[in-house]
Each structure stands twice: as structure tokens, then as C-alpha cells.
Amino acid sequence: MKDWDFRSFFMELLRLFCVLVLCFALCVNGVDVNVTKRPRPKIVNIGAFFTFNSTIGRVASVAIHTALDDVNADPSVLKGSKLVVDTQDTQCNGFMGIVEAFQFMEADIVAVVGPQCSMIAHTISHIANELQVPLLSFGATDPALSTLQFPFFIRTTQSDLFQMQAVAEIVSYYQWKEVIAIFVDYEYGQNGVSALGDKLAERRCKISFKAALPPEPNRSDVTDLLIKVALMESRVLVLHANPTVSLIVFSVANYLQMMSNGYVWIATDSLTALLDSRAPLSAQIMESMQGVIALRQHTADSKKKSELVARWSGLVKNQTGDNFHINSYGFYAYDTVWILARALDAFFNDGGIVSFSNDSRLRDIQEGNLNLQAMSVFDGGKLLLDKIRQTNMSGVIGSIQFDSNGYLIHPAYDIINVVGTGFRTVGYWSNYSGLSIVPPETLYSKPPNRSSVNQQLHSVIWPGETITKPRGWVFPNNGKELRIGVPNRASYQEFVSEEPHTGTIKGYCIDVFVAAVNLLPYPVPHRFIPFGNGHQNPSYTELVNKIITNEFDGVVGDIAIVTNRTRIVDFTQPYIESGLVVVAPVKKQHSSPWAFLRPFSIEMWCVTGLFFLFVGVVVWILEHRNNDEFRGPPRKQLVTIFWFSFSTLFFAHRENTVSTLGRAVLIIWLFVVLIIQSSYTASLTSILTVQQLSSPIKGIDTLIASDEPIGFQVGSFAENYLTEELNIPRSRLKALGSPSEYAHALELGPSNGGVAAVVDERPYVEDFLSTQCGYTIVGSEFTKSGWGFAFPRDSPLAIDMSTAILALSENGDLQKIHDKWLTRGACSSTTDELDSNRLNLSSFWGLFLICGLACFIALLVYLVQMVRQFSRHSVGEEISSSSERGSTRSGRSLHRFLSFVDDKEEDVKNRSRTRQLQMSAGNGSELES
């Protein structure tokens, strides 16, 4: 019993040891002991959809089979599993694509490489969604193929959404505004051109005409379409078609001389696929596409890419016996197989198995003889789809990853120029930094910079063998003249008017337009069509709206550039400044006799006078103890203070300052006096010499607050501006039709049925004031605008005319035209202006009156003092005998008074003192006797 227990114990211990050893071995090999490792299938079936006999299909076939061989030869990828591909020729036919897809799905494939054509992709993506079989397309670039609608569609190439963005940025870079899109009318062409229109609209450009070709056009179809295109305005043509159709288009265009100077051709990447794979093409084909700009999907230079290119010739010869080169689609097709292989490897590592189950919805379909039950759902489709989306690898095209929207990261294109027997790269476009002459992968390490300065391309040789950038548009080649509407004005006819007898349109605005047209490097056939009856100014808003209704091809005249109009038409550069101003009657203010008091206010006069006294007292206090000139009797000191204070006004003070503090105060005060004196002089000069005008209206603000009638010109935008922008009631506005009506309404005034002021544009007002001198502009200009010529939205003529107007301004012709029509004689002649600056007695008699009164009062005081002194000093003199006549006595008294005044005061005092001494001596003698 004990032996058996020991034996049992030993066996249990041995069994436990074996289990531990097995677990350790599994852990060392990195296998989860809790998961049973499933064996990988030896064969993994995949499918491939493409068009065998096509430019892209031939290259893709070699690339797919080469990638398949490389994957199967690499033991680190599928680890014993072998990829087997079944290829089908869809011929880019929708029906054949559906048939081939049904056949594929019966073979239980796990994924499909393809399809090549976008049309087929739209069709079979529905099948892929139902059966959960991923489609990895290297050629379907249609931007409408969305991962939201078709989650099992994986685009392993670039979407045309980015290619059309590159085309739009090229158009914007060369400052073209309109393009004509030529495309094949099926999903690939329609959706690509739709994306182009959206990208152009983001840059204020547009597709002016969509030239659609049938899916399989012949030469006659292309010829009819290009003849129609040649009659149109735009010369920027974007071709979005497959290589076969592109060759026909360029051949016909060359025959129709549409590959000549002035044309711009931009082709999408299907053309470069042909050039890359079949170069060099025949001289005839290359001649038909000289100067074309084309895009090519960018592939970064790498070791893998170089090795594949080096092997390519041998691969093509072994597989097809043909001779063609690899193109960008071949690189993407090669990497697509590797993307699938690595995703399958991750799929198997994550426990995925290749198994299929019947689709319950197909099983319910009983009618018909279709073998729908043979198609089954790939059970691991969602897991494989996730592994594909998580791809992060380096391929021949560079880094391969998918963003959240299912696009490959870093979309980029080469921009090539077809020249001679080949082509050259003129730049690159990337979604990261836009247009550049530096390869995109160089810029990925730097911060993105899409500034206009950073957008660069090398020079392009355009059709016609010119390096000068084509203008991009011409006038339609149908002999049609531009219908130019002009306002038939009833007033201010110097701006624009129609001769009543000859019908000739003339004026300042017309001369500017004609001069600008003459500067354009191409003819502009046009005819002027008057708008209005000539008896009343027309509505300029209605005139501009005629462009929208296609009645006019442009409008020329005194058309103000305002916000509402810029929303519906394009304006040229302003050729004259304008803006609303207020005109009001004014009265001349003649200078009064007391004009010398006006430079300073009452407060200024009072403060200045007090400071004169204050500074005088301060200086007297600082100098009193040490300076004898500031000492003496109180009356003398008081006089000294007053004299010193006011004499500093003229820097005429004679008292010296000896103390440091006194001198410091005096220096500062003299500086203040200098400033006050200079300011007073300047202000008084202006008051006396400049004519002063006064008006109760000070500007638009006081006019709004006054509630008085306001005049405006008939047809001007001023009416809408005053009512809509300034909220002035329409009842306050009064329409005026001519300068004479302006003057009459202003002269009557608001109380007599006139207006308080007129609001109009500055050019009209300046013309009005050149002959009416009783009025002036009050306040400042309260709108800023100008006059320009109006054309339809996005019209290239507006841009060229703006350039011509700037040239007129720079060479001085614009000013000459202005002087010819608008310069008039001023209201006042030169003599009148000199007279207005001449000073008259009326401006100064107040000063003379003050000075005269001061002199009179001083003389009167002096006379009183003299009479008092004469009377006092005449006492004691001998009186003439009483026998003398009164008249003689009076005459002698007057003579004595005049002699007294004429004598020196000191002599008079001496005589008086002598007389007093004599009288004192005489009185003493009498007392002694």
C-alpha cells in the first residue's frame, strides 16, 4: 500500500513537472498559453480587377505579379502562407465588372486588388460591402468614392480631390479666374470636375464651361466640342480624361491651332501615366502637346524604388515580352500587394481565420437561375479591414499610412511641362505646403508654410513656345462687341453725356475709359449704349443691375463703388476719389474792431494779467532786500512792481535782478511770455488775414440732429445711404436735378421751402462750388469710395482695366484728362484774393480808439496837474496894476502859464523856493523897523 502511494505520488509529480516545462517553453517562444495557435492556410486567394489592354493596366499587371512573387519569397511576411491571385479583365465596362465580380465572389477570395476604373469601383463596392471583402484600389481616383458609403473600399492611391486642389492652386498662382473643363461624361470625369469646381470656388475662380465628351468619343465628337470651346472667352483648359481620349483631344486641338500662343492646357495624371510608360512617343504625338502642364502622383526617391526601376525591364520582358516603363500607378499597384500581405500577416497573428458563410439575404432569393447561393460572406472581413486601415510601412512610394478619412497621408503631385521630345519638372504640389520647387518630403520636417511668398514654380514654356504667362482669356471669337452702358445725364454733363444731334458719347469718364482701353495689349471692341432719357439723371442702381440681366457687358461712367454694388459686379481700380460731403450756405465773417481780443479767451486774458502781477510781486519780494532798484517809498515800489511786470511783455524791463532766485523766476517767466506772445501773434495774424466763414450746419451730425430738409442728387446712391445707413426719414429728403436747383434750394433755406444743406459726392460738389461762391463743404467727408467701371463678376477685363488705370495715374495722363474736363476758374480772382489778405482800417480802429483815449486821459491829467502847480506857484507874484484891461490881463496870464509849462520843473521849483526866501526876508525887515 505504501509502495503504491509512493508510486502514485511520484507519477503526479512527474506529470506536474512536464506541464511546467511545457508552459515555460511556450512562454519563451512568446505564445499565450491560454490561446491555441491556429495553423495558417497554405494558400490565400486574392483577386485583381483591372483593364489588361490599357496604359495603366499593362503596368499594373507586371507590378502586381512582381509584388506577389516578392511577398511569397519573403518568409517574414506570411510565414508559410502563399498568396495566389486570380486576375480578371474588366475592360472598364460596368456590366463586365459586375459579371467578373460575381465570378470572383464565388471563388471565396479574401480581398481584391483593384478595381482600376472608378466606374467599376462604384458598382462592385456594393458587392464588397455585402460580402465583407476589402477592395484595395490602386487606380480608382474618383473623389466620390467615400469610405462612409463604401467602408470596404480602400483607396491605395491618391484621390482626385487632392489632384483638383493642386490644379486650382496652379490656376490661382497664375492669377487666372476662369477655366474650361474638358472631361469624359461618366463617374470619373463628372465627379473629378465637380471637385475641381469646389476647389476653384474656394479661391474665387470658377469653371466657365463644362465640356463633356461621350464615354467613348471619336475624333468627330472631339472636334465638335473643341470648336465650341475655341469660340469661348477662357483660354485655360483643364483636361480630365483617360490617356486614349487625351491623345485624341490634343491631336484635334493642334489641328485647330488651339496649341498656339495664348492657350493654357492643364492635364491630369492619366497623361503622365502614358508619358512615363511609353516615352519616347512619336514626334507627331509630342508635337501636339507642346507646352502642356500635367500632374503626376508624387513618389519619393528611395532605395526600394530604385531597385524596382532597375529590375523593371527584365520583369516586363519575362512576363509580357513587351517594352514599357513603370509609371506612378505601377508603384502604387506594387505597394498595394504589400499592404494586403502585411495586413494578412497581422490578421493571422491576431487569430484571424479564412472562413466563409452563406449570406442569409441571398439565400432568401429563390427566383431566377442565378447561382447567388454560391457567393458567401468572408467572416474575417472586418478584422482584415481594420488591419489594412492600421497599415504603417515603408514602400516604394514612401511612407504608407491612412488617415481617419481613409486617404493616404501626405498627398503630393509632380508638376511637369511637356517640352520637345520629353518633359521637365517645374515644381511640386503637396497638401502640406502647397506649390514648391522643393520635393515635398524635404518640407515635411519643417513647419507648414502656405504663404503666397512661399508658393513657387519654375518657369514654364507655354504653348506657342513662349515663357510669357498667357493672359488666360480673350474676347469670344464671334465678332461680338461689348455692350457698354453709360448714364445719359441731364446735369454735370462734363462727366458723361450724349450729344443730342450726333449721338456721340463724351465726357471725363469716357476719356478715362478710352485711354485705359488703349493701354491694353489687345483690342476691345465695344459700343456705348446710353441709359436714361437725358432729361433726368437715371438710377445708377438700375444701370448696374443691367449687367446681372445680361443687357450690358459693362457699365462706364460716374459709378460710385459702394457695398451693395460690389456684391453683384466687379469694379475696376477707382480712377477718381469720391465720397459723400455736406454743402451748406455760409456767411463771411468780417474782422471787427475788437478782433485783437479774439486770440485769447476771457479766462486766458484774466489769468495772463494776474500772472503778470503775481510774477512782479514775487520778483519784488526776492529782490527787495538786496536790490536798490526795488526799494524806496511805498508808492514808488508799487509803481515799480506794475512797471516791471508788464514791461516783461515786451522784454523792455530796465530793473536788474541780482538774486539767484529772482533770475531763475525771471528766465522761466520770460520763456512763458515768449510762447504767449508768439501764439497771440500767430492767432491774430490768422484772424485778420484768413477769410472766416460761418454756417449753422457744422457737418453730417448736426444736419441729422437739425430735422431740416436735406437735398440730394437724382439717381445718386446718397438717397439710400441717408435713409438706410443714417436712418434719416425719407420725408426729409428732397431730390434735386441740377446745380442751379442746388443753389436755388440752398438760397431759399428750410423755412422757405428749400433745404438746409445738400449731400452729394465730392466730384459733383467741387464742380458746383467752382461757380457758386456762397456755399462751402462743411464738416469732413463721411464716406470713402471712388468711381470705377463695372463688369460682370470674375471678369478678367476688370483686372486688366485696373492695371491700365494705374498706368494712367503713374504717367500723368489721368490728371491731364481731369484738367481737360473739370478744371474751372475759381470764384474769386487773384486780385480779390490779394484784397482779402489786405488789412483795412476797420480791423484796427478799436486799437486806435484805446490808444487815443489813453493819450487824451493822460493829457487831461497832466493839464490838471499843471494848472494846480501853476496856481500854487503863482501865489506871491506881483500883480499888475489894476488900471490894465481884463483882456490884457488874461493874455498875460496865458503867456505866463505857457512859459510855466515850458520851463523845466526843477527851474520852477528853484524860482518858487527863491521867492519864498525873499518873502521871508521882507517880512523880517518889516518886523525890525
Side-chain angles (χ1 to χ4, degrees):
M1 187 67 180
K2 293 181 179 179
D3 291 339
W4 183 84
D5 292 337
F6 178 76
R7 190 182 299 111
S8 298
F9 175 75
F10 179 76
M11 292 302 293
E12 290 294 333
L13 186 62
L14 181 61
R15 195 176 291 114
L16 180 61
F17 176 75
C18 291
V19 172
L20 292 174
V21 171
L22 179 60
C23 290
F24 177 76
L26 291 175
C27 291
V28 169
N29 287 280
V31 179
D32 190 350
V33 296
N34 295 319
V35 178
T36 302
K37 183 177 181 181
R38 298 185 179 94
R40 297 190 179 197
K42 292 183 178 181
I43 301 297
V44 180
N45 293 313
I46 64 172
F49 280 167
F50 53 89
T51 303
F52 291 173
N53 189 27
S54 68
T55 299
I56 296 174
R58 281 188 292 267
V59 174
S61 177
V62 176
I64 290 171
H65 286 93
T66 301
L68 205 66
D69 293 340
D70 293 344
V71 167
N72 291 330
D74 189 344
S76 65
V77 183
L78 290 176
K79 301 179 178 69
S81 296
K82 181 179 180 180
L83 276 183
V84 176
V85 64
D86 182 12
T87 60
Q88 295 289 342
D89 186 5
T90 62
Q91 302 176 17
C92 274
N93 182 284
F95 175 75
M96 293 300 298
I98 296 174
V99 173
E100 299 295 347
F102 280 133
Q103 293 180 355
F104 260 166
M105 299 313 174
E106 292 177 3
D108 291 340
I109 59 176
V110 299
V112 174
V113 176
Q116 169 190 332
C117 298
S118 297
M119 179 175 57
I120 307 298
H122 275 279
T123 304
I124 68 173
S125 289
H126 293 283
I127 302 174
N129 284 353
E130 181 67 25
L131 302 181
Q132 299 185 7
V133 176
L135 300 178
L136 289 81
S137 177
F138 60 87
T141 58
D142 182 359
L145 290 165
S146 167
T147 56
L148 293 176
Q149 182 182 8
F150 305 118
F152 281 86
F153 174 80
I154 303 101
R155 197 195 314 270
T156 58
T157 186
Q158 302 296 348
S159 170
D160 277 341
L161 181 69
F162 302 109
Q163 180 168 211
M164 295 310 172
Q165 183 177 349
V167 173
E169 291 196 24
I170 292 173
V171 171
S172 178
Y173 173 78
Y174 288 110
Q175 299 178 345
W176 298 315
K177 291 298 181 182
E178 295 183 1
V179 304
I180 294 176
I182 303 173
F183 62 99
V184 180
D185 196 11
Y186 58 87
E187 287 87 346
Y188 166 74
Q190 293 171 351
N191 297 327
V193 170
S194 178
L196 174 61
D198 293 340
K199 295 301 180 182
L200 287 172
E202 293 175 2
R203 291 156 181 81
R204 287 204 66 185
C205 305
K206 69 176 183 179
I207 299 175
S208 60
F209 179 65
K210 294 182 179 180
L213 291 166
E216 295 181 1
N218 55 36
R219 189 175 181 88
S220 177
D221 296 329
V222 174
T223 302
D224 293 342
L225 183 66
L226 291 187
I227 289 175
K228 186 185 297 184
V229 168
L231 296 176
M232 296 183 178
E233 181 178 278
S234 177
R235 283 294 183 263
V236 182
L237 311 178
V238 178
L239 177 61
H240 185 51
N242 59 59
T244 303
V245 175
S246 296
L247 290 180
I248 299 175
V249 169
F250 285 123
S251 176
V252 174
N254 189 47
Y255 173 76
L256 297 176
Q257 297 184 352
M258 296 176 67
M259 302 300 299
S260 58
N261 192 6
Y263 281 90
V264 177
W265 285 87
I266 303 175
T268 52
D269 58 1
S270 60
L271 178 63
T272 54
L274 173 66
L275 293 174
D276 285 334
S277 60
R278 286 297 185 180
L281 299 176
S282 66
Q284 183 179 2
I285 294 176
M286 294 303 297
E287 180 66 24
S288 68
M289 58 180 71
Q290 291 296 300
V292 172
I293 293 178
L295 298 180
R296 174 176 58 197
Q297 296 183 78
H298 178 74
T299 54
D301 294 332
S302 64
K303 183 179 180 181
K304 292 181 179 180
K305 178 180 176 181
S306 301
E307 290 175 351
L308 180 59
V309 171
R311 296 164 53 199
W312 186 259
S313 296
L315 295 171
V316 172
K317 188 173 182 180
N318 293 334
Q319 294 184 29
T320 66
D322 201 349
N323 182 23
F324 52 83
H325 308 291
I326 192 171
N327 55 34
S328 59
Y329 284 96
F331 291 127
Y332 281 94
Y334 179 87
D335 276 343
T336 299
V337 177
W338 275 96
I339 292 171
L340 179 57
R342 294 192 181 278
L344 283 169
D345 186 51
F347 170 79
F348 292 133
N349 288 338
D350 205 16
I353 60 173
V354 178
S355 63
F356 298 87
S357 59
N358 293 329
D359 191 337
S360 60
R361 288 187 290 184
L362 292 176
R363 189 169 57 247
D364 294 337
I365 300 176
Q366 301 296 333
E367 298 180 0
N369 297 321
L370 293 175
N371 188 23
L372 298 177
Q373 291 79 7
M375 292 189 296
S376 53
V377 177
F378 176 33
D379 297 328
K382 290 185 178 179
L383 178 60
L384 179 59
L385 178 65
D386 292 339
K387 298 304 178 184
I388 295 172
R389 296 290 187 199
Q390 295 169 11
T391 298
N392 187 357
M393 57 175 278
S394 178
V396 295
I397 63 172
S399 178
I400 301 175
Q401 287 179 260
F402 294 96
D403 62 18
S404 59
N405 295 318
Y407 299 123
L408 287 174
I409 63 170
H410 298 321
Y413 288 86
D414 301 335
I415 303 172
I416 68 170
N417 183 204
V418 180
V419 179
T421 59
F423 51 85
R424 65 191 185 96
T425 302
V426 295
Y428 306 90
W429 176 89
S430 69
N431 195 40
Y432 186 76
S433 57
L435 301 174
S436 173
I437 58 176
V438 179
E441 54 270 14
T442 305
L443 301 174
Y444 294 150
S445 60
K446 303 176 182 178
N449 186 353
R450 297 183 71 91
S451 64
S452 58
V453 177
N454 197 53
Q455 305 299 294
Q456 295 180 359
L457 290 176
H458 291 299
S459 61
V460 174
I461 299 178
W462 304 99
E465 298 182 356
T466 177
I467 60 173
T468 302
K469 184 200 77 172
R471 188 172 68 251
W473 68 279
V474 294
F475 288 102
N477 191 22
N478 53 12
K480 178 183 176 183
E481 293 180 325
L482 290 182
R483 299 162 299 173
I484 304 297
V486 295
N488 189 11
R489 293 191 58 88
S491 62
Y492 294 111
Q493 295 188 351
E494 54 269 32
F495 292 103
V496 58
S497 63
E498 180 186 15
E499 285 284 351
H501 302 294
T502 63
T504 304
I505 307 298
K506 64 178 184 177
Y508 166 72
C509 304
I510 303 301
D511 281 6
V512 173
F513 176 78
V514 172
V517 167
N518 291 336
L519 290 180
L520 299 180
Y522 49 87
V524 181
H526 63 274
R527 59 189 176 94
F528 296 119
I529 303 175
F531 177 76
N533 55 22
H535 303 294
Q536 186 178 17
N537 294 335
S539 170
Y540 280 40
T541 300
E542 294 181 10
L543 176 59
V544 173
N545 286 335
K546 295 292 183 181
I547 298 178
I548 304 303
T549 59
N550 201 30
E551 296 183 45
F552 292 144
D553 299 313
V555 170
V556 170
D558 46 342
I559 313 298
I561 304 173
V562 295
T563 303
N564 290 336
R565 296 172 185 171
T566 57
R567 292 171 180 165
I568 59 176
V569 297
D570 279 351
F571 282 93
T572 62
Q573 170 80 16
Y575 59 87
I576 187 172
E577 293 184 359
S578 181
L580 294 179
V581 293
V582 178
V583 181
V586 293
K587 295 181 180 179
K588 296 180 180 179
Q589 288 185 348
H590 299 287
S591 57
S592 69
W594 310 104
F596 67 93
L597 297 176
R598 290 172 56 191
F600 290 164
S601 64
I602 296 177
E603 294 82 0
M604 182 66 180
W605 280 114
C606 294
V607 171
T608 303
L610 289 175
F611 257 86
F612 272 107
L613 296 177
F614 175 71
V615 171
V617 171
V618 170
V619 173
W620 177 81
I621 292 173
L622 297 175
E623 296 289 327
H624 177 66
R625 296 191 62 189
N626 302 321
N627 193 340
D628 292 337
E629 295 182 359
F630 289 88
R631 297 184 66 84
R635 188 176 65 175
K636 177 185 177 183
Q637 295 183 45
L638 184 62
V639 171
T640 301
I641 290 174
F642 275 92
W643 165 251
F644 179 83
S645 299
F646 290 99
S647 63
T648 57
L649 176 63
F650 310 101
F651 307 100
H653 53 284
R654 301 174 60 183
E655 292 79 7
N656 294 320
T657 51
V658 296
S659 68
T660 303
L661 292 176
R663 290 176 177 178
V665 170
L666 184 60
I667 289 175
I668 296 174
W669 174 242
L670 291 178
F671 178 76
V672 173
V673 169
L674 175 64
I675 300 300
I676 293 174
Q677 187 186 65
S678 301
S679 302
Y680 177 86
T681 303
S683 179
L684 183 61
T685 301
S686 175
I687 291 172
L688 295 177
T689 59
V690 177
Q691 205 172 57
Q692 303 294 313
L693 303 176
S694 66
S695 170
I697 303 298
K698 304 301 180 184
I700 187 63
D701 294 331
T702 57
L703 184 61
I704 295 173
S706 66
D707 291 331
E708 294 179 338
I710 303 172
F712 68 93
Q713 184 183 173
V714 175
S716 172
F717 78 96
E719 179 182 9
N720 289 335
Y721 185 87
L722 293 173
T723 56
E724 296 176 5
E725 300 295 333
L726 302 182
N727 298 319
I728 297 176
R730 197 172 294 272
S731 58
R732 289 184 57 193
L733 304 182
K734 185 173 183 179
L736 304 173
S738 64
S740 60
E741 292 185 22
Y742 285 16
H744 181 66
L746 290 171
E747 184 178 355
L748 289 176
S751 58
N752 298 318
V755 296
V758 173
V759 175
D760 204 352
E761 297 175 63
R762 180 175 287 276
Y764 301 125
V765 170
E766 290 178 348
D767 186 72
F768 170 73
L769 295 179
S770 65
T771 57
Q772 300 290 336
C773 301
Y775 314 96
T776 190
I777 297 174
V778 294
S780 59
E781 188 173 324
F782 56 93
T783 65
K784 290 291 184 181
S785 62
W787 290 353
F789 306 133
F791 295 96
R793 291 299 298 269
D794 302 321
S795 171
L797 186 58
I799 299 175
D800 290 352
M801 286 292 288
S802 294
T803 304
I805 290 172
L806 289 175
L808 289 175
S809 177
E810 292 171 357
N811 62 24
D813 289 345
L814 196 61
Q815 184 62 41
K816 293 177 182 177
I817 298 173
H818 181 277
D819 295 342
K820 171 186 174 182
W821 287 98
L822 304 181
T823 300
R824 289 186 175 185
C827 292
S828 302
S829 64
T830 306
T831 304
D832 294 336
E833 292 179 1
L834 291 175
D835 289 341
S836 66
N837 291 331
R838 193 171 288 165
L839 300 178
N840 299 314
L841 177 63
S842 60
S843 301
F844 298 96
W845 70 262
L847 283 173
F848 290 129
L849 177 62
I850 292 174
C851 185
L853 288 175
C855 294
F856 176 76
I857 293 172
L859 288 175
L860 182 61
V861 172
Y862 181 75
L863 179 61
V864 171
Q865 290 177 347
M866 290 298 100
V867 169
R868 289 180 61 192
Q869 290 181 15
F870 177 74
S871 299
R872 186 174 58 251
H873 291 289
S874 295
V875 176
E877 288 187 351
E878 292 183 357
I879 301 174
S880 301
S881 61
S882 57
S883 61
E884 290 181 354
R885 288 183 169 180
S887 59
T888 304
R889 194 165 48 245
S890 300
R892 292 183 61 187
S893 297
L894 177 62
H895 178 73
R896 291 174 57 196
F897 175 75
L898 293 177
S899 298
F900 174 79
V901 172
D902 182 60
D903 290 339
K904 189 175 180 181
E905 185 175 0
E906 185 177 353
D907 294 340
V908 173
K909 290 180 178 180
N910 291 333
R911 285 202 304 269
S912 177
R913 193 178 300 113
T914 303
R915 191 166 50 250
Q916 290 177 358
L917 292 176
Q918 290 177 353
M919 291 178 61
S920 299
N923 293 332
S925 300
E926 290 178 359
L927 292 173
E928 289 177 359
S929 62

